């Protein structure tokens, strides 16, 4: 048990509690909620055991699902995001990713914003498609994806700035 | 055999992804089905007690409003009682007429949601208090939903703001019936469909629960007619109903049990 593992476990539990007890009940403008629990998936160390990472993402999504009574939509979206993460990293950080081991709190802030934006939009698209389960209301779906994404990105970036100690 | 093992080892990430993604999709599909969504809901021990802790902290913020609501309800009930003994007739106001075969429980809402398409509430009474599936839930202002899963100490309520909900309703002064649904557009408006075109409907009419379901007693308030649309077929209306309840702000609720529901249901099965 090293320091990093303990930090990750604590953040896992804290994010679930924050999401289930507080952030699911914000309902800004009636229906917009931020889903910051995906910050766990986004900032998971890059040189990792991918099978374990997928399983942890699934577990995280499932816990959020239990709190919000939504079947398995958060679990599906989290697993999808975890699986689709390497191409996103490659796109946003370029060369850095090829050398393995990006330190998220030491990377360039611009690339980090790109990375979070792509990740959040992908996650929300899967999430709301499964929640609606119905492509006849595609306008409603896209509206929800766009507004919730904006809210989530802002909250994610703020949380990241507050909790990462060293940033260049 | 060796090759199969090699294949699994080589593609273990992809296979793991497919397995977990498939599992999540299966859970999602299962949740779209009313009588099967019993596992994995917020009425379990862990999330239930977490919601309870949260409630014990936040309950003080709404005490004044809760008291006002209770005083208002007491006032209505008391005036009904006094009028009844004086004139010896059953008052014809918007009263909830509950006869002897209904049992009422009171409960507190721990978790409420109204922003998604499938909304659920979690309440603090469960099977150890006598609550079970298919009991109705309402407040002094109108209906909330139907119990859809219970554990020992908590229950989950399928809100009327859920695209799966179907509740029997009728127009108060004409007893034409319809079915109450929700199109996920607004938390104040629900839709009443399949109302006969011979029904005399106009804006502002009251909608109450009909006596045809075994879940709710007849006459619990729902809302008022907001907008009337004739269906493309031309035979039925679908009506937008504005709810009396503010579904975004619910504290105390009542759970109603129909003691005759088993008998009525067994009769209906015999007929088939």
């Amino acid at each position: 048990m090293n320091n990093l593992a303990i930090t990750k476990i604590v953040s896992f539990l804290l994010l679930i509690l924050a999401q289930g007890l507080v952030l699911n009940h914000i309902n800004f403008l009636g229906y917009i909620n931020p889903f910051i629990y995906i910050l766990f998936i986004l900032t998971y160390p890059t040189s990792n055991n991918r099978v374990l990472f997928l399983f942890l993402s699934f577990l995280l999504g499932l816990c959020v699902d239990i709190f919000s009574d939504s079947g398995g939509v958060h679990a599906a979206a989290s697993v999808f995001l975890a699986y689709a993460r390497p191409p996103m990293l490659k796109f946003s950080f370029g060369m850095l990713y090829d050398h393995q081991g990006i330190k998220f709190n030491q990377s360039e802030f611009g690339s980090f914003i790109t990375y979070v934006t792509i990740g959040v939009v992908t996650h929300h698209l899967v999430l709301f498609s499964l929640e609606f389960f119905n492509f006849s209301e595609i306008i409603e779906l896209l509206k929800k994806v766009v507004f919730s994404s904006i809210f989530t990105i802002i909250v994610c970036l703020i949380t990241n700035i507050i909790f990462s100690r060293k940033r260049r | 055999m060796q090759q199969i093992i090699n294949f699994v080892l080589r593609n273990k990430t992809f296979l793991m992804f497919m397995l977990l993604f498939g599992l999540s999709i299966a859970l999602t599909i299962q949740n779209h089905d009313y009588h099967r969504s019993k596992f994995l809901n917020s009425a379990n021990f862990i999330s239930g007690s977490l919601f309870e802790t949260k409630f014990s902290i936040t309950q003080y913020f709404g005490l004044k409003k809760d008291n006002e609501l209770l005083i208002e309800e007491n006032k209505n009930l008391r005036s009904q009682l006094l009028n009844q003994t004086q004139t010896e007739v059953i008052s014809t106001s918007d009263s909830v007429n509950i006869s002897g075969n209904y049992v009422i429980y009171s409960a507190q809402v721990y978790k409420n949601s109204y922003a998604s398409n499938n909304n659920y509430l979690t309440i603090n009474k469960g099977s150890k208090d006598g609550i079970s599936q298919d009991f109705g839930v309402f407040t002094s202002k109108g209906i909330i939903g139907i119990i859809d899963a219970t554990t020992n100490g908590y229950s989950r309520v399928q809100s009327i703001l859920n695209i799966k909900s179907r509740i029997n309703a009728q127009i108060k002064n004409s007893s034409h019936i319809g079915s109450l649904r929700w199109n996920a557009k607004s938390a104040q408006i629900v839709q009443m469909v399949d109302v006969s075109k011979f029904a005399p409907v106009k804006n502002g009419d009251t909608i109450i629960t009909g006596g045809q379901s075994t879940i709710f007693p007849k006459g619990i308030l729902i809302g008022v007619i907001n907008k009337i649309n004739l269906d493309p077929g031309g035979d039925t209306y679908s009506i937008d109903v504005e709810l009396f309840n503010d579904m975004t702000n619910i504290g105390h609720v009542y759970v109603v049990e129909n003691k005759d529901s088993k008998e009525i249901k067994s009769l209906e099965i015999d007929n088939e």
Side-chain angles (χ1 to χ4, degrees):
Chain A
M1 279 302 229
N2 56 13
N3 209 355
L4 188 72
I6 294 168
T7 324
K8 274 288 148 196
I9 291 168
V10 170
S11 77
F12 185 88
L13 295 175
L14 277 181
L15 282 172
I16 290 171
L17 286 183
Q19 187 66 47
L21 296 178
V22 182
L23 296 168
N24 271 351
H25 305 283
I26 287 183
N27 294 320
F28 181 61
L29 298 182
Y31 61 92
I32 304 171
N33 284 327
F35 298 107
I36 66 155
Y37 69 93
I38 59 170
L39 207 58
F40 177 84
I41 303 169
L42 291 175
T43 60
Y44 198 81
T46 47
S47 47
N48 60 52
N49 177 352
R50 284 194 69 200
V51 175
L52 178 71
F53 175 48
L54 279 176
F55 185 70
L56 281 178
S57 307
F58 176 73
L59 212 61
L60 178 75
L62 202 65
C63 290
V64 175
D65 270 326
I66 289 172
F67 272 102
S68 42
D69 286 307
S70 47
V73 291
H74 288 284
S78 303
V79 171
F80 188 83
L81 175 65
Y83 187 71
R85 198 174 74 140
M88 293 174 195
L89 284 168
K90 208 168 270 175
F91 177 81
S92 355
F93 293 100
M95 283 301 285
L96 217 58
Y97 178 66
D98 294 337
H99 297 297
Q100 287 290 318
I102 303 165
K103 297 273 185 294
F104 286 109
N105 50 6
Q106 285 165 20
S107 60
E108 234 176 277
F109 197 56
S111 331
F112 188 70
I113 293 178
T114 322
Y115 168 60
V116 169
T117 310
I118 297 171
V120 167
V121 172
T122 313
H123 173 269
H124 283 30
L125 208 58
V126 177
L127 177 73
F128 287 119
S129 309
L130 284 175
E131 197 184 303
F132 277 70
F133 225 74
N134 182 359
F135 278 104
S136 63
E137 297 183 52
I138 193 137
I139 301 294
E140 199 74 15
L141 192 154
L142 291 176
K143 204 173 85 184
K144 234 173 168 173
V145 170
V146 169
F147 290 126
S148 288
S149 297
I150 294 169
F151 201 8
T152 307
I153 291 164
I154 293 170
V155 178
C156 273
L157 289 176
I158 292 172
T159 317
N160 193 263
I161 289 167
I162 293 171
F163 284 99
S164 68
R165 273 150 280 165
K166 281 172 283 176
R167 179 178 288 286
R168 283 188 296 180
Chain B
M1 193 64 202
Q2 185 67 34
Q3 281 188 335
I4 295 174
I5 294 170
N6 278 341
F7 175 79
V8 170
L9 284 179
R10 230 178 317 124
N11 294 310
K12 63 178 192 287
T13 317
F14 180 71
L15 289 174
M16 187 73 177
F17 167 69
M18 287 312 281
L19 177 76
L20 294 175
F21 198 70
L23 200 62
S24 329
I25 302 275
L27 284 171
T28 310
I29 291 169
Q30 190 205 41
N31 196 45
H32 283 259
D33 205 358
Y34 171 54
H35 273 284
R36 288 201 297 159
S37 57
K38 282 185 183 170
F39 322 101
L40 295 177
N41 56 54
S42 64
N44 62 41
F45 174 70
I46 296 171
S47 64
S49 46
L50 281 170
F51 281 128
E52 187 169 1
T53 315
K54 184 196 168 199
F55 173 74
S56 67
I57 297 165
T58 54
Q59 63 171 326
Y60 299 102
F61 298 122
L63 280 185
K64 198 177 166 205
K65 203 168 241 171
D66 281 353
N67 275 336
E68 278 165 8
L69 214 68
L70 286 176
I71 288 169
E72 179 72 14
E73 195 185 351
N74 263 346
K75 193 193 80 187
N76 286 342
L77 291 175
R78 202 162 275 276
S79 74
Q80 267 174 40
L81 199 69
L82 289 173
N83 290 335
Q84 204 166 350
T85 46
Q86 276 168 7
T87 58
E88 299 269 68
V89 288
I90 295 160
S91 66
T92 50
S93 67
D94 287 349
S95 66
V96 180
N97 183 12
I98 289 173
S99 45
N101 46 10
Y102 291 104
V103 184
I104 301 280
Y105 307 87
S106 74
Q108 182 71 46
V109 173
Y110 277 173
K111 178 223 143 197
N112 181 15
S113 77
Y114 49 88
S116 93
N117 285 359
N118 295 297
N119 293 303
Y120 295 95
L121 295 89
T122 308
I123 59 171
N124 68 343
K125 292 282 168 73
S127 51
K128 76 170 191 290
D129 307 290
I131 311 279
S132 74
Q133 201 181 28
D134 287 339
F135 288 8
V137 181
F138 62 97
T139 68
S140 52
K141 285 184 187 163
I143 61 165
I144 302 288
I146 297 169
I147 303 272
D148 99 314
T150 55
T151 55
N152 196 23
Y154 308 96
S155 310
R156 185 171 79 160
V157 182
Q158 181 180 303
S159 163
I160 46 170
L161 302 184
N162 187 315
I163 51 176
K164 286 186 282 177
S165 284
R166 305 277 182 273
I167 291 172
N168 178 257
Q170 76 168 61
I171 297 157
K172 195 186 163 204
N173 48 19
S174 77
S175 66
H176 279 90
I177 56 154
S179 171
L180 211 64
R181 299 179 184 201
W182 189 52
N183 64 3
K185 291 276 191 315
S186 154
Q188 271 85 46
I189 311 281
V190 294
Q191 281 69 40
M192 184 175 169
V193 297
D194 296 339
V195 183
S196 157
K197 71 170 174 184
F198 301 112
V201 289
K202 62 173 190 291
N203 283 354
D205 278 2
T206 309
I207 304 289
I208 57 175
T209 54
Q212 294 205 340
S213 86
T214 53
I215 295 170
F216 285 103
K218 187 177 171 176
I220 292 182
L221 296 174
I222 296 173
V224 293
I225 296 180
N226 187 14
K227 196 172 153 216
I228 301 158
N229 311 305
L230 196 62
D231 282 333
D235 283 337
T236 51
Y237 290 120
S238 61
I239 297 170
D240 281 2
V241 180
E242 188 176 349
L243 294 170
F244 287 126
N245 257 326
D246 179 7
M247 292 298 287
T248 60
N249 180 17
I250 294 165
H252 291 278
V253 295
Y254 300 110
V255 182
V256 61
E257 172 186 4
N258 184 352
K259 281 187 156 176
D260 291 341
S261 77
K262 220 174 248 171
E263 202 176 330
I264 296 169
K265 271 181 189 158
S266 72
L267 204 64
E268 282 168 356
I269 290 165
D270 282 351
N271 275 343
E272 277 169 6

